[in-house]
Structure formats: structure tokens, C-alpha cells
Amino acid sequence: MQNTSHVSYFILGAYLDIGNIKYWYFLITILLYMVILLVNTSLIVLISMNRSLHEPMYVLLCSLFVNELYGSTALFPFLLIQTLSDVHTISVSFCFLQIFMVYSYANIEFCTLAIMSYDRYLAICCPLQYNTRMTVNKVFMLVAAAWLYSFMKMLVLLSLNIPLTLCGNVLKNFYCQNYLIVKLACSNTKVNNIYGLFGIVITVLVPLLPILFSYIKILQVCFSGSNQTRQKAVSTCTPHLASLMNFTFGCCFEILQTRFDMTHVPRVLRIILSLYFLIIQPLMNPFMYGLQMSKIRKTFLFYYKAMSSQRDALKV
């Protein structure tokens, strides 16, 4: 097998020649990307421009929506190019950049959801202390720490993988993945495998601990509290739990697919689930939070009615 440590590109082996159908896939993909850009950007602008939404929960939502744009941008422009291309290759440098973006996106998502669960715990279980324990400045610091921690973690990962000597350049996927590159290595990958497993554990378990703690406390308050408390918990926690379970499901399948033989799973289902966490999460979150969070919904309707009135006045 050819030593590819000096080769400048990888071949993405998951793509097939589908003829003119590729133009329909391109159209669907670009429409999905445009919707993701539109809805996430709209909510970021809405939260940023409206002072009544400058509260810890909405700052966290703004960070979440920014991360959805970041993660989808790591995939969609590349996917659009590959859909129309007859040769499915990617340069080594861009491949590592994509790994950095996709993996840091997943890490930031879990960290943000963990901070949001703690915010909900304080709001429901400690309402009198909420304004002192969860200020906007503290939230900004937590968000900045989550992004910085995720970037540093990925830089360590890449510093271990870039020097590897490879004995192949075919990646059996639609985009670059860390473990697929490690499996191509001729050199010793013990450290890479240990750090990779360690990275998966801390990406999932570290955020999971505050999430479990928060929801155990919230459930205790719900069972012992009033109907009003239960209604508040349900209305504010439902989108968060749905987002968490959706993203965890997508990530878990992708981890299993890269580390175990999944050929017994139908190919179409493997394709959908492989791209699931990079497509459904950025698409679902803005709609779910925009519809469920009454304050965001009311603010959006207020601006929509104001713009409609302004248009009607200009017509007159």
C-alpha cells in the first residue's frame, strides 16, 4: 500500500455516482442550508437587538444559535461542492480544518446545554437567588470558557494526528472524521486512541454530570411544588431536554459508526444518521426554542406586526 504521509489529499469513499439526481440533492441541500442560516441568524439578531431579551437564558440561546451556524458551515458548503463534483477529494489541510470545526461544534453544543440546564435549575429551584447567582456577566464568562475549552481540546487532538504517517488516503465517509484518519496510520497510534476515547468521555460525561444534577433537583421540586411550578418547569425544560436527547442520539450513532462495523444497517439509513447531528440540530433548535419560549415568540410577533404596519403606512 502506498505511503500517503506526503500525499496532499484524501478520497471520500462514501459518495456514489448518482447521475443527474445529484442536482436534486444539491437543491435540497442548499435549501436546508439557507433555512438554517435564516432562522438562526434571525433569532441571534432578535436577541441582540432587543434589550428585554438581554437575560442569562437568552444569552445562552444566542450562543447556541451561533454554534448552530458554526457547525452547519463546517458541513454544508463542503457538501454542496461534493454533491456536484465528479471527483470526491479533500485536501489534507482542509480535512483537518473540518475535523476541528465539527468536533469543536459538538463539544460547544454539549457544554452550552450543560450551562443551560444549570440555569434552569437556579431559575426553578432557587428563584430568589437566581439574579445574584446567574448574572449576564457570569453567563458571558461561562460561554467564553466553553468555546475556549473546546478549541483548546481540538488543538491538542490535531497536534497528535497531523504528524501521523499514513498508509492510505481513502475515508469511507461524506466528510472528514478523526478516527477514520487514525485508522489509516502506519505508525503507532496508541496515544491517539487513548486521547480519542478520553475526549469522547469528557465531551459527553463532563456536561452530563451538571445536567443530571440539575434535572434531579428540578424533578424533586416539581413533585413537591405547586402546579404553577410544574408548569414553569415543563415549559422551560421541554425544549432543552428535546435538544439534548436529539443531539446525543445523533452523536452516539456517529461514534458507533466510526468505531464498529455498521454494514448491516441499510445504506440510506447510515447516510441519514451520519449527517443527522449536523443537519437536524441546527434546523430544529431555532424552531423549537422560537415556538416554545413565549418571550421570544411575543417579541418576534411584535416586530412582525410593527413591520407590517410600517409597510401598510408606506402604501398609503
Side-chain angles (χ1 to χ4, degrees), residues 200-260:
I200 291 172
V201 170
I202 62 173
T203 297
V204 178
L205 286 186
V206 170
L208 189 61
L209 292 175
I211 291 170
L212 287 175
F213 168 80
S214 299
Y215 277 99
I216 288 171
K217 293 293 185 181
I218 289 170
L219 283 173
Q220 288 175 350
V221 170
C222 286
F223 284 125
S224 60
S226 62
N227 287 333
Q228 186 179 358
T229 303
R230 281 193 287 271
Q231 288 174 359
K232 180 183 177 182
V234 169
S235 63
T236 60
C237 296
T238 298
H240 179 266
L241 282 173
S243 177
L244 176 65
M245 289 188 290
N246 177 71
F247 192 68
T248 303
F249 167 77
C251 289
C252 285
F253 181 85
E254 193 61 358
I255 292 168
L256 291 172
Q257 183 170 243
T258 55
R259 298 203 169 248
F260 300 101

Side-chain angles (χ1 to χ4, degrees), residues 4-5 7 13 19 23-24 67 88 95 98 103 113 139 142 147 161 198 210 219 233 247 263 278 300 306 308-309 311:
T4 60
S5 59
V7 173
Y23 297 109
W24 288 104
N67 193 45
H88 305 292
C95 188
Q98 190 175 52
Y103 283 60
L113 290 171
V139 169
L142 288 170
W147 283 72
N161 291 347
F198 173 73
L219 283 173
F247 192 68
T263 52
L278 285 166
F300 177 79
S308 298
S309 300
R311 282 199 303 268

Side-chain angles (χ1 to χ4, degrees), residues 14-153:
Y15 290 92
L16 298 174
D17 184 9
I18 53 176
N20 290 333
I21 300 176
K22 66 184 180 182
Y23 297 109
W24 288 104
Y25 283 126
F26 178 85
L27 181 62
I28 293 168
T29 304
I30 198 168
L31 285 174
L32 282 172
Y33 188 42
M34 288 174 65
V35 170
I36 288 171
L37 289 177
L38 178 64
V39 294
N40 282 283
T41 303
S42 297
L43 286 171
I44 291 167
V45 171
L46 185 69
I47 293 170
S48 301
M49 298 291 288
N50 195 286
R51 295 186 68 86
S52 67
L53 297 178
H54 292 180
E55 298 175 5
M57 183 61 183
Y58 301 105
V59 173
L60 289 169
L61 284 176
C62 195
S63 173
L64 195 70
F65 299 144
V66 170
N67 193 45
E68 307 307 354
L69 293 176
Y70 172 65
S72 57
T73 301
L75 174 71
F76 275 94
F78 171 76
L79 201 61
L80 289 168
I81 294 169
Q82 292 296 327
T83 301
L84 293 181
S85 178
D86 294 324
V87 180
H88 305 292
T89 61
I90 180 172
S91 67
V92 171
S93 57
F94 190 83
C95 188
F96 282 119
L97 174 63
Q98 190 175 52
I99 288 172
F100 177 87
M101 292 181 70
V102 169
Y103 283 60
S104 58
Y105 157 73
N107 207 90
I108 293 164
E109 192 83 0
F110 275 120
C111 288
T112 306
L113 290 171
I115 300 169
M116 289 172 70
S117 69
Y118 180 67
D119 175 81
R120 291 301 84 202
Y121 155 70
L122 290 178
I124 295 167
C125 302
C126 311
L128 298 178
Q129 303 172 36
Y130 178 78
N131 290 330
T132 55
R133 293 176 65 178
M134 185 61 79
T135 64
V136 172
N137 288 336
K138 285 182 181 178
V139 169
F140 275 120
M141 290 177 63
L142 288 170
V143 167
W147 283 72
L148 182 61
Y149 156 72
S150 302
F151 288 157
M152 293 302 295
K153 183 181 165 188

Side-chain angles (χ1 to χ4, degrees), residues 166-200:
L166 306 179
C167 289
N169 69 335
V170 179
L171 304 176
K172 294 181 180 180
N173 200 29
F174 292 93
Y175 59 93
C176 291
Q177 286 182 320
N178 174 64
Y179 189 63
L180 294 180
I181 292 177
V182 173
K183 287 200 292 187
L184 295 174
C186 306
S187 51
N188 191 332
T189 60
K190 185 177 180 180
V191 175
N192 304 75
N193 287 322
I194 291 172
Y195 184 79
L197 290 171
F198 173 73
I200 291 172

